[in-house]
Amino acid sequence: MLIGPVLRRVVGDRATIWVETSAPATVRVTATTAATGSSAARVTASGTAHTFSAYDHHYALVVVTGLAAGASARYEVFLDDRRVWPDPESPYPASVIRTRRDDTQPVRLVFGSCRETTQHSTTRRLPPDALDAYSRRLMGLDPGGDDWPDLLLLLGDQVYADETSPMIQRFLRRRRRHRGLPPDAPADQVVSYEEYTKLYLESWRDPEIRWLLSTVPSVMIFDDHEIIDDWNTSASWRAQMRRQSWWSERISSGLASYWVYQHLGNLSPDEIVADPVYGKVVAAADDATEVLREFGGRVDTESGVAHDSRLWAEAQYQWSYALDVGRTRIVVLDNRCSRVLEPGARSILPVGEWSWFTDQVHGRYEHLVVGSSLPWLMPPAIHHLEAWNERLAESPRRWVAAASERLRRGIDLEHWAAFRRSFDDLGHLFARVGAGTRSAAPAPSGAVDSPGAEGSIAAAGTTDTAPGRVGAGAAYPPPASISVLSGDVHHSYVARAGMPAEVRTPVHQLTCSPIHNQVPAPMRPLMRLGWWRGPATVLRALGRAAGLPAPSVRWRKLDGPYFGNAVSTLVHDGSTAEVLLEGTTKDGHLREVTRRVLSGARP
């Protein structure tokens, strides 16, 4: 077993476990728990799957069934009836699958983003890895206790294809002596699928990380570095990259490997069966290389081209996904691959995926969590700069548009604020949810079938009743909290959105980044400056001069910015939401940086 076991989803009495093996095999997982009134152990759950193969690598996703509610079951992994996990020499505790008692139990979500491997520290002298530190602390806790996490949410840059470690660079030099690549291919970046597999091997074989992923359920979403820095910044960026001779292999391999290593495990057992790519991979189990190569290239070609929701449903593969943990609904959004980049119609999500997203906020739940690799609420000065730059990049004066595009790429002006319609639409949606009017929401402004509404969210109390949509005409009580979890920006902070009086739900931006990386020291004062009123006022004036309306949401920072390596925990207990941000100390432990109650009162 080369990588894994990685515990992905726990749904009712079922769990999914992902592995990579060195050869084709039948993978069997058995989970045991102590029998009532006895010290003996008995098998309570099991699952079996045969590996599928692609690019001469072998993988399996095992669905374990029959788990008991409210229990922590130790499990073992067998390859062709040979036990390979746990390692009998391991100093770490047994890996477990923990199930929830019921929906009244508190929900504990651990999140963060941007993790370079330990190997990167050999040249960059990075501070200690926050996820390693969290793993070591978890080893001393009882899996049945209230401090045990329900889910680990990794919000992007789980691997760095364009910023490789010295170990990966040595591998690339050796490999490319015997396998030619286009002469313009970047020498120190991965390009092929085989090279991508080494990134995951390097990252997920870290002993503490391997144990953590084996025993805490995890979901993930990509950001840019899984492919390349500033991936899909603009239409001209995409056109320029597609002219590079090595790009087609890079994007196809990057998306195919992301599907195998990260995305497949995001799906529930029922969703896995329904996934069209998984069906083709299983049908070609002996060698699914061409299936994945074609998929990786096609999904990039289709990205962001379907503005009509009917066409999108037929053409576009969806990376966004949703799940419930207890009374918490979690919706994780693709901020990168499916962007609409056409000038004048730029959008973080295509219209069909936005319609899917609005459907997910229907129903009865206590808390709403939106996973977004990019922060929705940025330092205000940076927000106004990005919005102003987007407007000028679409100027009919070519020299203005060209200069603005150079600025956009030069200083990474590509967050929600650089897709102003999407920023406003998200604010409108949160206002409707928080006002208790969660009926079907309109398509995003600028879409084919959009009402085109822009401006203030003060009209959030109106009820949309689009026919034929899930929940049309129905209103649900507002949730106790709405939280946007993000990473990317290499500093951590808590901000609160200002909402109209009729919006009863507090809306927060919770940004935690990096897990293991470091923002250059000269950049830190500039990031702090972004929160100051003076620079924000000046840059907002530039936006007004360019004809931009005011943002539909105002917000203020509550905590931060914090620039160290960090991991955050969001806890939902009844109507209470509380976030804890912890950073690493020099000796590799975690210390509390800030703790804040977001809604309700601490029990």
Side-chain angles (χ1 to χ4, degrees):
M1 188 165 62
L2 297 178
I3 304 179
V6 182
L7 176 61
R8 298 305 307 270
R9 294 284 302 276
V10 178
V11 183
D13 67 344
R14 296 180 293 174
T16 55
I17 293 178
W18 180 97
V19 300
E20 180 181 357
T21 63
S22 60
T26 298
V27 184
R28 178 167 57 92
V29 178
T30 60
T32 64
T33 188
T36 303
S38 170
S39 61
R42 59 183 178 85
V43 174
T44 61
S46 64
T48 302
H50 193 72
T51 55
F52 64 87
S53 300
Y55 296 91
D56 295 322
H57 287 257
H58 315 281
Y59 312 94
L61 189 68
V62 181
V63 179
V64 179
T65 61
L67 294 164
S72 297
R74 298 185 179 192
Y75 71 89
E76 299 175 316
V77 180
F78 300 82
L79 300 184
D80 295 331
D81 294 325
R82 178 174 59 89
R83 194 182 83 162
V84 295
W85 189 268
D87 182 345
E89 305 298 323
S90 172
Y92 302 131
S95 299
V96 301
I97 305 172
R98 192 183 86 149
T99 55
R100 295 176 56 82
R101 293 189 308 272
D102 52 47
D103 288 347
T104 64
Q105 186 177 347
V107 172
R108 183 175 292 266
L109 308 176
V110 178
F111 66 96
S113 78
C114 307
R115 181 180 177 270
E116 291 192 336
T117 67
T118 304
Q119 295 294 325
H120 285 85
S121 297
T122 60
T123 55
R124 294 189 58 205
R125 301 173 63 90
L126 295 175
D129 186 327
L131 208 57
D132 273 344
Y134 183 82
S135 177
R136 289 191 293 269
R137 187 176 69 187
L138 199 65
M139 291 175 189
L141 299 182
D142 177 8
D146 288 339
D147 290 337
W148 198 262
D150 290 288
L151 190 70
L152 172 64
L153 179 52
L154 298 175
L155 291 162
D157 297 344
Q158 278 71 257
V159 295
Y160 282 72
D162 55 341
E163 297 178 10
T164 54
S165 71
M167 186 173 75
I168 294 296
Q169 291 172 20
R170 289 193 295 271
F171 163 76
L172 295 177
R173 288 193 295 270
R174 290 196 305 270
R175 184 170 189 269
R176 291 177 183 179
R177 293 193 195 107
H178 309 290
R179 180 187 182 276
L181 282 175
D184 61 338
D188 58 352
Q189 300 182 25
V190 304
V191 173
S192 69
Y193 187 97
E194 177 65 26
E195 292 167 358
Y196 263 101
T197 67
K198 296 302 184 287
L199 297 181
Y200 288 100
L201 188 70
E202 178 186 51
S203 182
W204 291 0
R205 289 276 294 197
D206 175 316
E208 284 94 351
I209 299 303
R210 189 176 194 181
W211 177 84
L212 180 68
L213 293 177
S214 76
T215 203
V216 176
S218 59
V219 293
M220 310 170 187
I221 192 68
F222 44 43
D223 196 30
D224 53 345
H225 288 287
E226 270 88 355
I227 304 297
I228 196 169
D229 190 28
D230 302 337
W231 176 30
N232 282 345
T233 291
S234 64
S236 63
W237 181 95
R238 180 182 280 170
Q240 178 180 332
M241 294 307 299
R242 287 176 175 172
R243 290 193 292 269
Q244 308 302 311
S245 60
W246 51 273
W247 177 249
S248 61
E249 183 170 7
R250 168 72 156 270
I251 189 67
S252 173
S253 300
L255 290 173
S257 61
Y258 172 78
W259 184 88
V260 171
Y261 285 86
Q262 296 194 53
H263 180 70
L264 184 58
N266 293 333
L267 307 179
S268 71
D270 293 337
E271 290 167 336
I272 291 167
V273 173
D275 185 81
V277 181
Y278 185 71
K280 293 178 181 179
V281 165
V282 171
D286 290 341
D287 189 0
T289 301
E290 290 307 314
V291 172
L292 290 177
R293 179 180 288 120
E294 184 275 335
F295 165 72
R298 173 174 53 82
V299 76
D300 175 63
T301 302
E302 294 171 349
S303 294
V305 299
H307 304 287
D308 186 301
S309 58
R310 293 159 296 182
L311 297 177
W312 176 89
E314 297 174 1
Q316 186 70 53
Y317 187 83
Q318 180 173 306
W319 300 107
S320 301
Y321 58 93
L323 64 152
D324 287 347
V325 179
R327 298 279 297 156
T328 297
R329 176 149 304 169
I330 304 169
V331 186
V332 182
L333 300 178
D334 164 18
N335 288 180
R336 287 288 177 182
C337 186
S338 300
R339 289 177 170 183
V340 177
L341 298 176
E342 178 184 339
R346 284 166 54 88
S347 178
I348 290 283
L349 296 176
V351 61
E353 194 158 345
W354 177 267
S355 298
W356 169 87
F357 174 39
T358 59
D359 283 345
Q360 303 313 304
V361 304
H362 299 133
R364 296 184 181 276
Y365 50 83
E366 194 79 36
H367 300 271
L368 175 63
V369 171
V370 175
S372 168
S373 64
L374 303 178
W376 175 52
L377 302 179
M378 293 277 287
I382 298 176
H383 173 98
H384 296 312
L385 178 63
E386 293 197 3
W388 170 76
N389 175 262
E390 182 193 27
R391 172 60 62 93
L392 293 190
E394 297 178 355
S395 170
R397 291 175 291 181
R398 290 186 178 180
W399 70 271
V400 173
S404 300
E405 178 65 23
R406 286 194 295 272
L407 180 64
R408 171 157 56 194
R409 297 192 198 181
I411 56 175
D412 298 355
L413 304 180
E414 40 124 22
H415 300 85
W416 283 84
F419 295 79
R420 186 180 57 83
R421 292 185 181 89
S422 295
F423 175 89
D424 288 342
D425 288 333
L426 193 57
H428 292 311
L429 179 60
F430 288 159
R432 282 191 295 272
V433 172
T437 56
R438 270 181 280 167
S439 57
S445 54
V448 168
D449 52 348
S450 165
E454 295 184 5
S456 173
I457 60 174
T462 59
T463 302
D464 302 302
T465 56
R469 292 280 304 283
V470 176
Y476 300 98
S481 73
I482 298 173
S483 301
V484 181
L485 312 187
S486 304
D488 179 75
V489 292
H490 288 195
H491 67 288
S492 302
Y493 58 90
V494 177
R496 177 164 180 171
M499 290 285 171
E502 65 268 23
V503 179
R504 290 165 282 175
T505 301
V507 180
H508 290 87
Q509 171 71 61
L510 310 178
T511 302
C512 183
S513 167
I515 290 173
H516 189 224
N517 208 319
Q518 193 171 41
V519 66
M523 292 293 295
R524 298 181 187 185
L526 295 176
M527 292 179 171
R528 292 185 188 277
L529 198 64
W531 289 102
W532 289 11
R533 183 185 300 273
T537 300
V538 171
L539 288 163
R540 172 68 195 110
L542 283 177
R544 280 197 303 269
L548 281 175
S552 62
V553 177
R554 292 174 180 257
W555 62 100
R556 61 188 176 93
K557 177 176 62 69
L558 302 179
D559 297 297
Y562 173 72
F563 291 99
N565 288 337
V567 65
S568 287
T569 303
L570 177 62
V571 179
H572 294 150
D573 189 357
S575 64
T576 300
E578 183 178 38
V579 65
L580 169 66
L581 173 68
E582 297 177 285
T584 55
T585 61
K586 291 183 178 180
D587 59 357
H589 293 89
L590 290 176
R591 66 175 182 89
E592 180 176 323
V593 175
T594 186
R595 182 190 299 266
R596 181 168 290 272
V597 176
L598 307 176
S599 70
R602 185 180 298 159

